[in-house]
């Protein structure tokens, strides 16, 4: 009993206490942010080999009155742990699909695709497929313009279940991209079974492309793999023309990164669109 008492005391160590309080404040801040509509989508351009616009990736931001513009790297992990990622993910999907539907009504933007990040816990929900179909129906977005970005972490679920969900959405035209490819632990034998459309070369490999032969070799392997599997491939985190040129020489078809544009608020994304016609 004495030992347990000491452990209990240790739990209330001031530093740990502070971390727990901070996290709780973040969770309640996020909950309030959802209620008060403080979340925004930013749009980062995706381009083809000639730099022509293919579409955007929707990236979440939290416009907090107290904290300013908060990056998802800071709050998505906490949103995942607390379950808030479910309502938040639904908000992202709804906003993205509404935007797709709005773009489809204008000839200059009708061909745009929009990539949306889906967290593993969101995908794992039994009603994920119904949720996506319902949002598509409600917003009137064209499923063929929607690309869901999944990470290998979704493979914590049974692979048959993952395949069934992906196939159900694919049957309606929804596309799938595997994000952060090459950074996870899943085997190629697993990945081969997934009905994917695209592999996304992680930005860590792109960053080291010119300085680390291993990173260049991995990027090359992913590009060849995508070609062999009949998939599209896109590189993220492309910041320099020399990175782009090297990727192009390896056969990469699509690019995303600061070289082509930062994640932009809607108005700026639409200005870019007006200045640069679709591919
Ligand atoms: P991600 O999906 O891998 O997104 C790419 C990240 O790289 C984004 O960070 C983007 O702003 C950043 N980036 C883009 N171009 C460059 C570049 O040229 N160089 C470098 N160094 N970075 C670049 P961001 O927007 O902070 O998002 C971080 C992560 O948060 C995302 O990584 C994604 O995992 C997650 N996330 C973002 N939006 C959502 C969302 O709506 N739902 C979920 N579940 N996760 C999201
Ligand atoms: Ca992504
Ligand atoms: Ca990524
Ligand atoms: Ca990532």
């Amino acid at each position: 009993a004495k030992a347990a008492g000491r452990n209990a005391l240790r739990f209330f160590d001031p530093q740990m206490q502070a971390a727990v309080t901070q996290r709780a404040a973040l969770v309640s801040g996020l909950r309030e942010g959802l209620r008060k509509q403080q979340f925004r989508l930013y749009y980062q351009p995706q381009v083809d080999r000639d730099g022509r616009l293919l579409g955007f990736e929707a990236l979440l931001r939290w416009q907090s009155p107290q904290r300013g513009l908060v990056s998802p790297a800071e709050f998505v992990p906490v949103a995942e742990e607390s379950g808030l990622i479910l309502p938040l993910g639904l908000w992202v999907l709804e906003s993205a699909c509404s935007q797709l539907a709005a773009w489809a009504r204008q000839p200059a933007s009708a061909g745009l695709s929009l990539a949306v990040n889906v967290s593993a816990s969101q995908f794992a929900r039994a009603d994920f497929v119904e949720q996506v179909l319902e949002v598509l129906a409600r917003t009137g977005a064209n499923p063929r313009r929607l690309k869901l970005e999944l990470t290998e972490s979704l493979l914590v679920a049974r692979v048959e279940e993952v395949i069934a969900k992906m196939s159900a959405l694919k049957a309606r035209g929804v596309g799938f991209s595997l994000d952060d490819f090459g950074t996870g632990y899943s085997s190629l034998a697993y990945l081969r079974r997934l009905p994917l459309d695209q592999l996304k070369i992680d930005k860590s490999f792109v960053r080291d492309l010119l300085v680390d032969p291993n990173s260049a070799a991995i990027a090359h392997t992913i590009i060849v793999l995508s070609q062999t599997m009949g998939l599209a491939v896109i590189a993220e985190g492309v910041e320099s023309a020399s990175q782009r040129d090297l990727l192009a020489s390896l056969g990469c078809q699509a690019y995303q990164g600061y070289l082509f544009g930062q994640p932009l608020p809607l108005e700026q994304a639409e200005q870019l669109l007006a200045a640069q016609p679709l591919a």
Side-chain angles (χ1 to χ4, degrees):
K2 197 137 193 220
R6 221 177 304 145
N7 282 339
L9 275 178
R10 276 180 66 193
F11 176 76
F12 289 105
D13 136 340
Q15 242 183 334
M16 195 166 170
Q17 180 72 57
V20 169
T21 309
Q22 246 176 38
R23 189 184 168 284
L26 184 55
V27 170
S28 66
L30 289 171
R31 196 171 285 126
E32 179 175 306
L34 261 171
R35 208 171 51 237
K36 296 191 174 164
Q37 302 184 305
Q38 293 165 356
F39 289 95
R40 308 278 178 268
L41 288 185
Y42 274 47
Y43 299 87
Q44 184 174 36
Q46 300 185 329
V47 304
D48 72 5
R49 295 179 73 101
D50 302 314
R52 287 177 306 195
L53 196 63
L54 298 165
F56 295 99
E57 177 179 1
L59 291 158
L60 186 58
R61 300 288 181 266
W62 177 24
Q63 184 67 66
S64 158
Q66 291 87 24
R67 300 166 197 255
L69 195 65
V70 190
S71 151
E74 275 182 59
F75 66 80
V76 163
V78 172
E80 270 167 0
E81 284 166 29
S82 62
L84 278 176
I85 197 70
L86 299 176
L88 198 53
L90 187 59
W91 179 87
V92 168
L93 203 56
E94 291 222 16
S95 308
C97 287
S98 303
Q99 196 50 59
L100 262 182
W103 281 334
R105 290 191 283 269
Q106 292 153 23
S109 54
L112 283 175
S113 70
L114 190 55
V116 173
N117 293 285
V118 173
S119 85
S121 51
Q122 201 185 345
F123 186 89
R125 275 186 67 111
D127 63 351
F128 178 73
V129 170
E130 286 70 34
Q131 226 170 46
V132 175
L133 294 179
E134 195 190 284
V135 169
L136 284 166
R138 187 163 56 229
T139 56
N142 180 351
R144 297 194 177 280
R145 302 284 174 214
L146 179 66
K147 196 158 51 186
L148 299 181
E149 293 200 357
L150 308 175
T151 60
E152 291 167 58
S153 61
L154 95 164
L155 288 171
V156 292
R158 279 177 47 237
V159 72
E160 288 77 16
E161 248 169 66
V162 174
I163 293 170
K165 284 177 173 172
M166 289 175 72
S167 303
L169 288 170
K170 266 188 82 80
R172 308 297 187 95
V174 176
F176 287 94
S177 183
L178 194 59
D179 204 355
D180 303 345
F181 186 63
T183 63
Y185 296 97
S186 43
S187 75
L188 289 175
Y190 258 169
L191 294 179
R192 189 195 48 155
R193 298 183 55 196
L194 302 183
L196 290 162
D197 299 279
Q198 184 184 62
L199 300 179
K200 199 163 190 181
I201 304 172
D202 187 65
K203 58 178 180 295
S204 61
F205 304 124
V206 175
R207 183 192 58 216
D208 299 339
L209 207 53
L210 296 149
V211 290
D212 171 25
N214 288 332
S215 292
I218 291 171
H220 190 195
T221 302
I222 295 173
I223 292 165
V224 171
L225 187 68
S226 71
Q227 288 162 349
T228 310
M229 292 170 74
L231 305 177
V233 64
I234 184 168
E236 70 173 5
V238 181
E239 296 182 357
S240 71
S242 32
Q243 288 169 341
R244 191 258 328 268
D245 293 346
L246 181 51
L247 286 162
S249 76
L250 299 175
C252 190
Q253 306 156 331
Y255 308 85
Q256 183 181 346
Y258 299 157
L259 178 65
F260 308 100
Q262 304 255 341
L264 304 165
L266 179 64
E267 313 75 62
Q268 285 180 45
E270 289 186 329
Q271 277 167 24
L272 188 107
L273 183 64
Q276 188 192 32
L278 284 183

